Amino acid sequence: MEFVVEHGHPCLPGHFPGRPLVPGVVVLDHVLAAIEAVHGPLGPLRLPQVKFANPLLPGEAASIEIEGAAPRWRFRVLRGVTLVASGEVALA
């Protein structure tokens, strides 16, 4: 799954003035949407491990790689070949 957070997205003002970055929570929202697109609604979740390695800027394309199956998935978010974020999502 690929996504782009456009420059006009409401999450960007104030995050950060003069150099906007896509907030980590928005990146994670796309990860959860990618998992639910394949596995359906998940219900309560935990994020036992999440690491943000590099920033994602508005207008940049990112791809999501998902491995695993319920009750635990591993994910990677990439901007080209650059790692943006990685971690695990688990059913609560």
Side-chain angles (χ1 to χ4, degrees), residues 46-50 72 88-90:
R46 296 182 306 113
L47 298 167
Q49 177 187 1
V50 176
R72 185 175 293 255
E88 295 181 12
V89 175

Side-chain angles (χ1 to χ4, degrees), residues 16-39:
F16 295 94
R19 188 167 195 273
L21 301 174
V22 176
V25 68
V26 174
V27 173
L28 292 175
D29 189 52
H30 284 280
V31 169
L32 298 179
I35 294 171
E36 287 186 332
V38 175
H39 299 282

Side-chain angles (χ1 to χ4, degrees), residues 39 66-70 72-74:
H39 299 282
I66 305 289
E67 295 178 358
R72 185 175 293 255
W73 298 267
R74 294 198 51 73

